[in-house]
Amino acid sequence: MKAIKNVLVLFLLGILTHSSSAQNFNDQRTSISNFLKRMYINSPFDGVKVVEDYDNKYFISVVCLEKAKYTSVSIMNRVAQTKAQSQANTFFNGSTVSSDLVIKTNETRSKDSSSTTITTIESIKENSLGFVKGLELLISFEVEENKKMVYIYFRELK
């Protein structure tokens, strides 16, 4: 009988330990999302950052989209996810940037004078290859009187 009580007590302690660690993850996730939302509202930014708390390092990718440009929420969510993955890929794997400068000159002549028009066109391309795994949506919220939507994606860094 005493052995059964000991096994039951150990079983209950195991369940309590498991449930408290799961709750700790949700608490941790909620606190980091609230912190990042406050940080964004105080000083808006787009792009990537590495943020540290007492125990962990997080990679975050922030995307801000204008709601009026998208016909549905699902399309806007997909665009945000794609942009966040692109930013993360460039951060982790690097990118190649190329630039082309085209100068076009037009000369116009008339009987009395001539004029020259110079047009400059600069083309900048960025290419990045790679794959970033484990990036997930942490929080999304509306800003600027509900005209824009901010998405914060994150990944814990080891």
Side-chain angles (χ1 to χ4, degrees):
M1 190 69 170
K2 202 171 197 180
I4 294 174
K5 284 184 181 180
N6 288 342
V7 170
L8 186 61
V9 168
L10 287 175
F11 179 73
L12 289 174
L13 283 174
I15 289 175
L16 287 174
T17 304
H18 177 70
S19 66
S20 67
S21 66
Q23 215 168 14
N24 187 21
F25 175 74
N26 287 335
D27 291 343
Q28 184 179 13
R29 189 176 169 134
T30 301
S31 65
I32 191 74
S33 64
N34 289 337
F35 169 74
L36 292 173
K37 182 177 178 179
R38 284 191 311 270
M39 187 170 92
Y40 181 87
I41 289 171
N42 287 333
S43 178
F45 63 94
D46 267 352
V48 299
K49 285 188 179 196
V50 175
V51 179
E52 293 183 56
D53 67 4
Y54 297 110
D55 300 323
N56 302 308
K57 269 187 182 180
Y58 301 99
F59 167 82
I60 62 165
S61 179
V62 178
V63 178
C64 183
L65 300 175
E66 291 183 35
K67 292 171 71 173
K69 290 183 178 181
Y70 302 95
T71 56
S72 72
V73 175
S74 64
I75 292 173
M76 188 168 50
N77 291 341
R78 181 65 181 139
V79 169
Q81 181 184 16
T82 304
K83 283 187 174 188
Q85 287 174 337
S86 174
Q87 291 174 348
N89 183 42
T90 301
F91 180 81
F92 287 112
N93 300 318
S95 65
T96 304
V97 178
S98 63
S99 175
D100 294 324
L101 183 64
V102 177
I103 300 173
K104 185 177 176 182
T105 306
N106 292 331
E107 187 173 348
T108 309
R109 292 187 183 191
S110 63
K111 293 181 182 178
D112 299 332
S113 65
S114 68
S115 65
T116 304
T117 306
I118 299 174
T119 306
T120 306
I121 301 170
E122 184 174 14
S123 173
I124 300 172
K125 295 179 183 178
E126 181 179 17
N127 293 318
S128 179
L129 296 173
F131 176 72
V132 177
K133 62 180 179 176
L135 197 62
E136 63 181 284
L137 179 63
L138 178 65
I139 188 172
S140 61
F141 54 93
E142 295 174 336
V143 293
E144 296 181 18
E145 292 88 35
N146 299 329
K147 292 181 181 178
K148 292 186 178 184
M149 193 75 174
V150 176
Y151 297 85
I152 300 178
Y153 289 83
F154 87 119
R155 173 180 152 187
E156 186 175 343
L157 299 174
K158 304 282 180 191

